[in-house]
Amino acid sequence: MISIKSAREIELMRETSLLAAKTLRFIEYKLKPGMSTEDINQLCHEYIIKRDAIPAPLNYHGFPKSICTSKNEIICHGIPSSKDIIRDGDILNIDVTTKYKGFHGDTNRTYLIGNVRPEIQRMVERTYQCMMAGIAVCRPGVRIGDIGAVIEEMAHDYGYSVVQEYCGHGIGREFHEEPQILHYGKRGTGVEMKPGMTFTVEPMINFGKRHCKLLDDKWTVVTKDKSWSAQFEHTILITEDGHEILTQVPDSAWSAADNQI
Ligand code: MF3
Ligand code: CO
Ligand code: CO
């Protein structure tokens, strides 16, 4: 069942999504080579709980940390660790999901740590473009297959591949709701978008081949060919005449207090 959010529920989705987006904006300026992904996890954890929210990944199906940190050839679901140090030239995806007043907001970005090889920098920028192109088609009456079709075409034009095993998802009272949002596929397929739907768009784009491998920890997903991988994620709302990106921080919504734990 695909839930259609009421006006009140949409307000709560806006609040939780704004908090998730603020957490990313907060952490972005703290990132420094030499930090561990566990340091990043702790900062995000504190930031979220101080605002009376819950980091949704913590204990989700047994996930041991509050955020996912996915570096270089890690596609998604990387587990923060004090042994995992970020270094100059790395790329790091930070995926934040908040649960606030009963609703989830889910967003991630891939950050460049120091000087990253130009071809990898370009892949990261273009992964963002792919996500935004997928979001751009979203409005009532369009089918969700169009999102994946647009993303896949753009990624392939650039010579990259699109991960198929993990996808976007409806979101609301539950972390993962129906429908699944594929990042590949055919136009005109899948369910029709309707006002009040909320879902994520979160393509994972690989520099090499699309295939992935699950590590022994049963969470960390890496590329099979060890090529690097980038991802961006927004939570969006379908409105009467288009869509709204919920996991953005308008400059007017950012104050000095948002910069501190
Ligand atoms: N935030 C991820 C997503 O975008 C899901 C992480 S599940 C976890 O859907 F258990 F690994 F945290
Ligand atoms: Co998600
Ligand atoms: Co996420």
Side-chain angles (χ1 to χ4, degrees):
M1 214 264 293
I2 299 175
S3 67
I4 298 295
K5 275 73 181 175
S6 67
R8 173 66 186 150
E9 290 171 328
I10 288 169
E11 218 23 73
L12 296 172
M13 283 300 296
R14 286 200 181 99
E15 288 187 37
T16 189
S17 298
L18 180 63
L19 176 56
K22 282 185 174 180
T23 308
L24 273 188
R25 183 155 167 181
F26 158 78
I27 201 65
E28 174 173 355
Y29 294 98
K30 300 262 182 289
L31 299 178
K32 293 276 168 333
M35 267 176 118
S36 75
T37 52
E38 172 61 14
D39 295 333
I40 297 166
N41 175 70
Q42 276 171 17
L43 287 166
C44 291
H45 179 90
E46 290 295 313
Y47 191 90
I48 292 166
I49 63 167
K50 287 272 163 62
R51 286 159 178 79
D52 300 318
I54 295 167
L58 187 60
N59 301 318
Y60 180 77
H61 295 280
F63 191 78
K65 297 286 177 178
S66 297
I67 57 169
C68 297
T69 49
S70 304
K71 200 177 74 183
N72 301 345
E73 73 283 355
I74 301 181
I75 295 171
C76 63
H77 304 168
I79 303 173
S81 160
S82 54
K83 293 188 199 116
D84 184 23
I85 307 295
I86 56 171
R87 302 197 190 282
D88 185 72
D90 285 341
I91 59 172
L92 179 73
N93 180 280
I94 302 178
D95 192 336
V96 170
T97 313
T98 49
K99 185 178 187 187
Y100 183 59
K101 299 182 185 171
F103 284 83
H104 293 81
D106 191 6
T107 184
N108 74 50
R109 303 183 73 89
T110 299
Y111 297 104
L112 307 175
I113 309 301
N115 292 307
V116 172
R117 278 180 292 149
E119 75 262 29
I120 296 293
Q121 266 188 48
R122 279 196 292 274
M123 175 182 69
V124 172
E125 282 160 18
R126 289 162 172 178
T127 300
Y128 180 76
Q129 286 176 18
C130 286
M131 173 189 67
M132 292 307 277
I135 291 172
V137 303
C138 293
R139 61 184 161 77
V142 171
R143 291 183 184 272
I144 58 168
D146 288 25
I147 300 171
V150 162
I151 290 172
E152 185 177 39
E153 271 167 31
M154 186 177 268
H156 286 179
D157 279 348
Y158 284 130
Y160 309 133
S161 64
V162 179
V163 173
Q164 297 191 348
E165 286 81 354
Y166 302 87
C167 54
H169 48 92
I171 182 166
R173 286 189 190 280
E174 303 296 329
F175 192 160
H176 295 107
E177 300 184 353
E178 285 179 59
Q180 291 197 344
I181 309 294
L182 304 183
H183 303 112
Y184 63 95
K186 269 195 161 47
R187 279 193 177 67
T189 63
V191 297
E192 246 184 41
M193 298 178 205
K194 295 204 163 39
M197 283 185 181
T198 48
F199 56 81
T200 72
V201 179
E202 50 178 305
M204 284 143 272
I205 305 288
N206 297 349
F207 195 82
K209 296 204 161 57
R210 70 171 180 81
H211 304 95
C212 50
K213 196 174 90 181
L214 186 64
L215 296 189
D216 287 339
D217 63 22
K218 297 280 186 245
W219 281 106
T220 312
V221 181
V222 299
T223 58
K224 211 168 174 183
D225 64 8
K226 303 216 167 62
S227 68
W228 288 15
S229 183
Q231 182 182 23
F232 286 83
E233 175 176 29
H234 271 313
T235 295
I236 73 162
L237 163 73
I238 301 302
T239 58
E240 293 298 330
D241 59 358
H243 65 267
E244 188 179 315
I245 298 178
L246 301 181
T247 40
Q248 265 174 348
V249 190
D251 282 334
S252 60
W254 185 258
S255 70
D258 293 320
N259 248 328
Q260 275 123 235
I261 283 194

